[in-house]
Amino acid sequence: MTASPADGAGGCPVARPDRDGAAPAYVSYARMDALHELAVPRTESPRELTFILISHVKELLFRVVHTEIDQAREQLRSQRVQDACASMDRAVRAQRVLLASWDVMTAMTPDEFLTFRDVLGTASGTQSFMYRALEFSLGNKDPRSVRDCLSHLDRYPVLRAELDAPSLYDEALRYLGGNGLPVPAHVLERDVTRQYEADPGVEEVWLSVYRAPGRHPREHRLAEALTELSYQFSLWRANHLLVVERMLGSKPGTGGTSGLGWLRSINEHRFFPELWAARTRL
Protein backbone atom coordinates (compact mmCIF):
# COMPACT_ATOMS: atom_id res chain seq x y z
CA MET A 1 0.00 0.00 0.00
CA THR A 2 1.37 3.43 -0.94
CA ALA A 3 1.69 5.89 1.93
CA SER A 4 -0.28 9.13 1.57
CA PRO A 5 1.40 12.53 2.08
CA ALA A 6 -0.54 12.94 5.30
CA ASP A 7 0.91 9.76 6.87
CA GLY A 8 4.14 11.46 7.75
CA ALA A 9 2.32 14.37 9.39
CA GLY A 10 0.28 12.43 11.89
CA GLY A 11 -2.67 12.29 9.53
CA CYS A 12 -2.82 16.06 9.07
CA PRO A 13 -3.25 17.38 5.52
CA VAL A 14 -0.06 18.59 3.87
CA ALA A 15 0.03 21.56 1.47
CA ARG A 16 2.99 20.83 -0.77
CA PRO A 17 3.99 22.83 -3.82
CA ASP A 18 4.32 21.05 -7.14
CA ARG A 19 7.81 19.95 -8.18
CA ASP A 20 8.28 23.05 -10.28
CA GLY A 21 7.55 25.28 -7.28
CA ALA A 22 3.98 26.08 -8.34
CA ALA A 23 1.21 26.73 -5.87
CA PRO A 24 -0.47 23.78 -4.11
CA ALA A 25 -3.08 22.00 -6.19
CA TYR A 26 -6.00 23.49 -4.23
CA VAL A 27 -4.79 27.02 -4.90
CA SER A 28 -4.03 26.47 -8.56
CA TYR A 29 -7.20 24.44 -9.27
CA ALA A 30 -9.57 27.23 -8.13
CA ARG A 31 -7.10 30.10 -8.78
CA MET A 32 -7.33 31.18 -5.15
CA ASP A 33 -4.27 33.40 -5.42
CA ALA A 34 -5.89 35.39 -8.25
CA LEU A 35 -9.13 35.57 -6.30
CA HIS A 36 -7.49 37.18 -3.28
CA GLU A 37 -5.59 39.63 -5.46
CA LEU A 38 -8.90 41.04 -6.70
CA ALA A 39 -9.71 42.67 -3.34
CA VAL A 40 -7.86 45.99 -3.52
CA PRO A 41 -9.18 48.68 -1.13
CA ARG A 42 -8.76 52.34 -2.04
CA THR A 43 -8.55 53.55 1.55
CA GLU A 44 -6.75 52.43 4.71
CA SER A 45 -10.00 51.37 6.35
CA PRO A 46 -10.06 47.64 7.17
CA ARG A 47 -13.85 47.88 6.88
CA GLU A 48 -13.49 48.66 3.18
CA LEU A 49 -11.65 45.39 2.65
CA THR A 50 -14.47 43.55 4.43
CA PHE A 51 -17.01 45.39 2.27
CA ILE A 52 -15.22 44.34 -0.93
CA LEU A 53 -14.80 40.72 0.17
CA ILE A 54 -18.44 40.33 1.17
CA SER A 55 -19.47 41.97 -2.11
CA HIS A 56 -17.40 39.34 -3.94
CA VAL A 57 -19.01 36.57 -1.90
CA LYS A 58 -22.50 37.84 -2.75
CA GLU A 59 -21.66 38.14 -6.43
CA LEU A 60 -20.41 34.55 -6.57
CA LEU A 61 -23.48 33.31 -4.73
CA PHE A 62 -25.71 35.09 -7.25
CA ARG A 63 -24.01 32.92 -9.84
CA VAL A 64 -24.61 29.77 -7.79
CA VAL A 65 -28.33 30.56 -7.53
CA HIS A 66 -28.52 31.41 -11.24
CA THR A 67 -26.78 28.15 -12.17
CA GLU A 68 -29.32 26.11 -10.19
CA ILE A 69 -32.26 28.03 -11.65
CA ASP A 70 -30.92 27.43 -15.14
CA GLN A 71 -30.69 23.72 -14.35
CA ALA A 72 -34.26 23.71 -13.02
CA ARG A 73 -35.54 25.29 -16.23
CA GLU A 74 -33.87 22.66 -18.37
CA GLN A 75 -35.19 19.88 -16.15
CA LEU A 76 -38.75 21.22 -16.38
CA ARG A 77 -38.45 21.31 -20.18
CA SER A 78 -37.68 17.59 -20.14
CA GLN A 79 -40.47 16.81 -17.63
CA ARG A 80 -38.02 16.02 -14.80
CA VAL A 81 -39.97 17.92 -12.19
CA GLN A 82 -38.41 16.17 -9.17
CA ASP A 83 -34.93 17.04 -10.42
CA ALA A 84 -36.07 20.63 -11.01
CA CYS A 85 -37.34 20.87 -7.44
CA ALA A 86 -34.02 19.50 -6.16
CA SER A 87 -32.19 22.20 -8.14
CA MET A 88 -34.44 24.85 -6.62
CA ASP A 89 -33.78 23.42 -3.15
CA ARG A 90 -30.05 23.85 -3.77
CA ALA A 91 -30.65 27.41 -4.95
CA VAL A 92 -32.53 28.11 -1.71
CA ARG A 93 -29.56 26.89 0.33
CA ALA A 94 -27.33 29.34 -1.51
CA GLN A 95 -29.92 32.07 -0.90
CA ARG A 96 -29.71 31.40 2.83
CA VAL A 97 -25.95 31.93 2.71
CA LEU A 98 -26.62 35.18 0.85
CA LEU A 99 -28.92 36.26 3.67
CA ALA A 100 -26.23 35.47 6.24
CA SER A 101 -23.81 37.76 4.40
CA TRP A 102 -25.83 40.75 5.56
CA ASP A 103 -24.87 39.90 9.17
CA VAL A 104 -21.26 40.68 8.35
CA MET A 105 -22.28 44.04 6.91
CA THR A 106 -24.32 44.99 9.98
CA ALA A 107 -21.22 44.65 12.14
CA MET A 108 -20.02 47.86 10.44
CA THR A 109 -21.12 51.08 12.14
CA PRO A 110 -22.39 54.03 10.06
CA ASP A 111 -19.31 56.14 10.80
CA GLU A 112 -17.04 53.26 9.72
CA PHE A 113 -18.89 52.92 6.42
CA LEU A 114 -18.67 56.67 5.81
CA THR A 115 -14.86 56.53 6.02
CA PHE A 116 -14.78 54.93 2.56
CA ARG A 117 -18.24 55.48 1.06
CA ASP A 118 -17.04 58.39 -1.07
CA VAL A 119 -14.61 56.18 -2.99
CA LEU A 120 -17.53 54.11 -4.25
CA GLY A 121 -18.61 57.00 -6.47
CA THR A 122 -21.68 55.86 -8.42
CA ALA A 123 -20.99 52.17 -7.76
CA SER A 124 -23.99 50.24 -6.47
CA GLY A 125 -24.97 46.61 -6.06
CA THR A 126 -27.96 47.35 -8.29
CA GLN A 127 -25.48 47.52 -11.20
CA SER A 128 -24.49 43.85 -10.81
CA PHE A 129 -25.09 42.13 -14.13
CA MET A 130 -25.31 38.73 -12.45
CA TYR A 131 -27.94 39.94 -10.00
CA ARG A 132 -29.93 41.41 -12.89
CA ALA A 133 -29.60 38.17 -14.88
CA LEU A 134 -30.88 36.33 -11.82
CA GLU A 135 -33.97 38.55 -11.65
CA PHE A 136 -34.57 38.10 -15.38
CA SER A 137 -34.30 34.32 -15.00
CA LEU A 138 -37.09 34.44 -12.42
CA GLY A 139 -39.34 36.58 -14.63
CA ASN A 140 -38.78 40.11 -13.31
CA LYS A 141 -38.03 41.90 -16.58
CA ASP A 142 -39.14 45.30 -15.40
CA PRO A 143 -38.98 47.75 -18.34
CA ARG A 144 -36.87 50.16 -16.28
CA SER A 145 -34.32 47.46 -15.49
CA VAL A 146 -34.29 46.31 -19.11
CA ARG A 147 -33.70 49.88 -20.29
CA ASP A 148 -30.79 50.31 -17.89
CA CYS A 149 -29.22 47.06 -19.16
CA LEU A 150 -29.51 47.67 -22.89
CA SER A 151 -26.11 49.30 -23.23
CA HIS A 152 -24.45 46.35 -21.45
CA LEU A 153 -25.93 43.44 -23.39
CA ASP A 154 -22.88 43.00 -25.62
CA ARG A 155 -20.52 43.16 -22.64
CA TYR A 156 -22.47 40.60 -20.60
CA PRO A 157 -23.90 37.83 -22.83
CA VAL A 158 -25.71 36.25 -19.87
CA LEU A 159 -27.90 39.35 -19.67
CA ARG A 160 -28.89 39.19 -23.32
CA ALA A 161 -29.55 35.45 -23.04
CA GLU A 162 -31.76 35.89 -19.97
CA LEU A 163 -33.67 38.77 -21.50
CA ASP A 164 -34.59 36.59 -24.48
CA ALA A 165 -35.15 33.32 -22.60
CA PRO A 166 -38.27 31.96 -20.91
CA SER A 167 -38.05 32.42 -17.16
CA LEU A 168 -38.18 29.63 -14.60
CA TYR A 169 -41.85 30.49 -14.04
CA ASP A 170 -42.59 30.34 -17.76
CA GLU A 171 -41.17 26.82 -17.81
CA ALA A 172 -43.14 25.85 -14.70
CA LEU A 173 -46.39 27.02 -16.29
CA ARG A 174 -45.54 25.18 -19.51
CA TYR A 175 -44.97 22.05 -17.43
CA LEU A 176 -48.41 22.45 -15.83
CA GLY A 177 -50.06 23.04 -19.20
CA GLY A 178 -48.28 20.05 -20.73
CA ASN A 179 -49.57 17.81 -17.95
CA GLY A 180 -53.24 18.52 -18.35
CA LEU A 181 -53.79 21.59 -16.18
CA PRO A 182 -55.73 24.44 -17.86
CA VAL A 183 -53.07 27.15 -18.01
CA PRO A 184 -54.48 29.87 -20.32
CA ALA A 185 -53.08 29.69 -23.85
CA HIS A 186 -52.24 33.40 -23.90
CA VAL A 187 -49.98 32.86 -20.89
CA LEU A 188 -48.19 29.93 -22.50
CA GLU A 189 -47.74 31.90 -25.73
CA ARG A 190 -46.80 35.23 -24.15
CA ASP A 191 -43.75 37.32 -25.13
CA VAL A 192 -41.12 36.03 -22.70
CA THR A 193 -38.95 39.12 -23.13
CA ARG A 194 -41.54 41.17 -21.25
CA GLN A 195 -42.34 41.48 -17.55
CA TYR A 196 -44.53 38.68 -16.26
CA GLU A 197 -47.95 39.90 -15.09
CA ALA A 198 -50.27 37.97 -12.78
CA ASP A 199 -53.14 36.16 -14.50
CA PRO A 200 -56.41 35.03 -12.86
CA GLY A 201 -56.43 31.82 -14.89
CA VAL A 202 -53.01 30.85 -13.53
CA GLU A 203 -54.20 31.56 -10.00
CA GLU A 204 -57.10 29.14 -10.56
CA VAL A 205 -54.66 26.45 -11.70
CA TRP A 206 -52.54 26.80 -8.57
CA LEU A 207 -55.71 26.76 -6.44
CA SER A 208 -56.71 23.44 -8.00
CA VAL A 209 -53.29 22.02 -7.12
CA TYR A 210 -53.46 23.17 -3.49
CA ARG A 211 -57.05 21.99 -3.05
CA ALA A 212 -56.17 18.48 -4.23
CA PRO A 213 -52.49 17.85 -3.43
CA GLY A 214 -53.04 14.09 -3.43
CA ARG A 215 -54.22 14.28 -7.03
CA HIS A 216 -51.36 16.59 -8.04
CA PRO A 217 -48.36 15.61 -5.85
CA ARG A 218 -45.66 16.68 -8.31
CA GLU A 219 -47.37 19.96 -9.09
CA HIS A 220 -47.81 20.61 -5.36
CA ARG A 221 -44.10 19.95 -4.79
CA LEU A 222 -43.29 22.34 -7.64
CA ALA A 223 -45.55 25.02 -6.17
CA GLU A 224 -43.83 24.84 -2.80
CA ALA A 225 -40.34 24.83 -4.32
CA LEU A 226 -41.17 27.97 -6.31
CA THR A 227 -42.74 29.65 -3.28
CA GLU A 228 -39.68 28.98 -1.13
CA LEU A 229 -37.43 30.43 -3.83
CA SER A 230 -39.59 33.56 -3.99
CA TYR A 231 -39.79 33.76 -0.20
CA GLN A 232 -36.01 33.69 0.19
CA PHE A 233 -35.63 36.38 -2.49
CA SER A 234 -38.10 38.59 -0.61
CA LEU A 235 -36.13 38.03 2.61
CA TRP A 236 -32.99 39.11 0.75
CA ARG A 237 -34.64 42.37 -0.32
CA ALA A 238 -36.03 43.02 3.17
CA ASN A 239 -32.61 42.51 4.72
CA HIS A 240 -31.05 44.78 2.10
CA LEU A 241 -33.55 47.47 3.02
CA LEU A 242 -32.83 47.18 6.75
CA VAL A 243 -29.06 47.15 6.31
CA VAL A 244 -29.17 50.29 4.16
CA GLU A 245 -31.44 52.02 6.68
CA ARG A 246 -29.15 51.01 9.52
CA MET A 247 -26.02 52.29 7.78
CA LEU A 248 -27.26 55.23 5.71
CA GLY A 249 -30.67 56.25 6.99
CA SER A 250 -32.50 58.08 4.20
CA LYS A 251 -29.43 59.25 2.27
CA PRO A 252 -29.63 58.84 -1.56
CA GLY A 253 -28.26 55.59 -2.94
CA THR A 254 -24.79 55.48 -4.49
CA GLY A 255 -26.13 54.19 -7.80
CA GLY A 256 -28.36 57.18 -8.42
CA THR A 257 -31.47 55.71 -6.79
CA SER A 258 -33.47 57.40 -4.06
CA GLY A 259 -31.97 54.92 -1.60
CA LEU A 260 -34.43 53.81 1.06
CA GLY A 261 -37.54 54.85 -0.89
CA TRP A 262 -36.48 52.83 -3.94
CA LEU A 263 -35.68 49.77 -1.82
CA ARG A 264 -39.08 50.01 -0.13
CA SER A 265 -40.81 50.09 -3.50
CA ILE A 266 -39.07 46.99 -4.88
CA ASN A 267 -39.61 45.24 -1.55
CA GLU A 268 -43.29 44.92 -2.48
CA HIS A 269 -42.56 42.87 -5.60
CA ARG A 270 -43.16 39.10 -5.44
CA PHE A 271 -41.97 36.51 -7.92
CA PHE A 272 -44.64 34.02 -9.04
CA PRO A 273 -47.49 36.25 -7.83
CA GLU A 274 -50.36 33.79 -8.29
CA LEU A 275 -48.76 31.40 -5.79
CA TRP A 276 -49.00 34.16 -3.18
CA ALA A 277 -52.49 35.26 -4.17
CA ALA A 278 -53.85 31.70 -4.09
CA ARG A 279 -53.14 31.45 -0.37
CA THR A 280 -55.78 34.05 0.39
CA ARG A 281 -58.45 31.90 -1.24
CA LEU A 282 -57.57 28.51 0.23
Side-chain angles (χ1 to χ4, degrees):
M1 180 181 293
T2 303
S4 71
D7 289 343
C12 296
V14 178
R16 291 181 177 174
D18 295 336
R19 292 180 181 178
D20 59 0
Y26 169 76
V27 175
S28 58
Y29 167 72
R31 301 182 64 186
M32 294 302 183
D33 44 3
L35 176 64
H36 285 286
E37 289 172 3
L38 294 174
V40 183
R42 299 183 184 181
T43 71
E44 296 300 317
S45 170
R47 303 290 82 76
E48 185 190 0
L49 177 59
T50 297
F51 180 84
I52 292 172
L53 291 171
I54 293 300
S55 296
H56 285 175
V57 167
K58 290 190 291 186
E59 192 72 20
L60 294 172
L61 286 168
F62 292 153
R63 187 173 178 182
V64 172
V65 177
H66 179 264
T67 298
E68 296 295 348
I69 288 171
D70 193 39
Q71 286 288 302
R73 280 187 300 198
E74 182 59 37
Q75 289 154 345
L76 284 171
R77 289 187 197 109
S78 57
Q79 299 289 303
R80 294 157 53 205
V81 67
Q82 297 293 359
D83 290 340
C85 290
S87 292
M88 283 186 268
D89 289 346
R90 288 190 293 270
V92 164
R93 293 192 180 205
Q95 285 179 299
R96 289 173 181 156
V97 181
L98 271 166
L99 282 171
S101 70
W102 288 124
D103 285 341
V104 180
M105 300 293 283
T106 58
M108 191 183 309
T109 63
D111 49 296
E112 288 175 325
F113 180 57
L114 290 174
T115 61
F116 66 86
R117 190 198 184 208
D118 287 347
V119 304
L120 298 178
T122 60
S124 167
T126 62
Q127 298 163 349
S128 164
F129 74 90
M130 186 53 68
Y131 176 82
R132 191 58 54 202
L134 180 55
E135 289 226 354
F136 285 176
S137 73
L138 293 171
N140 187 22
K141 300 178 183 181
D142 185 289
R144 294 167 297 180
S145 299
V146 173
R147 183 192 62 232
D148 292 343
C149 291
L150 289 178
S151 61
H152 303 300
L153 294 182
D154 291 335
R155 181 187 294 270
Y156 306 117
V158 66
L159 266 179
R160 181 181 294 279
E162 284 300 351
L163 184 58
D164 294 338
S167 71
L168 174 65
Y169 199 47
D170 288 320
E171 296 295 353
L173 296 180
R174 290 175 181 180
Y175 172 82
L176 296 180
N179 284 273
L181 288 166
V183 179
H186 66 268
V187 173
L188 298 177
E189 297 165 3
R190 77 180 196 90
D191 180 357
V192 299
T193 68
R194 302 179 68 84
Q195 173 87 332
Y196 181 83
E197 301 291 344
D199 187 276
V202 172
E203 185 177 329
E204 292 297 330
V205 169
W206 287 124
L207 271 172
S208 70
V209 169
Y210 275 106
R211 285 171 175 162
R215 191 184 311 158
H216 306 289
R218 294 182 181 227
E219 291 78 6
H220 186 270
R221 170 80 172 93
L222 175 61
E224 284 299 284
L226 288 166
T227 301
E228 183 64 22
L229 197 64
S230 174
Y231 174 73
Q232 293 294 331
F233 215 109
S234 292
L235 284 179
W236 161 265
R237 287 169 168 164
N239 274 263
H240 188 184
L241 169 65
L242 287 171
V243 170
V244 169
E245 187 170 12
R246 176 172 176 162
M247 295 176 66
L248 291 175
S250 297
K251 292 183 180 72
T254 53
T257 71
S258 58
L260 212 57
W262 180 77
L263 286 173
R264 284 191 175 123
S265 69
I266 65 168
N267 211 32
E268 295 299 314
H269 174 267
R270 294 289 181 270
F271 292 104
F272 327 138
E274 297 93 346
L275 282 166
W276 294 90
R279 281 156 164 74
T280 304
R281 298 174 57 196
L282 284 173

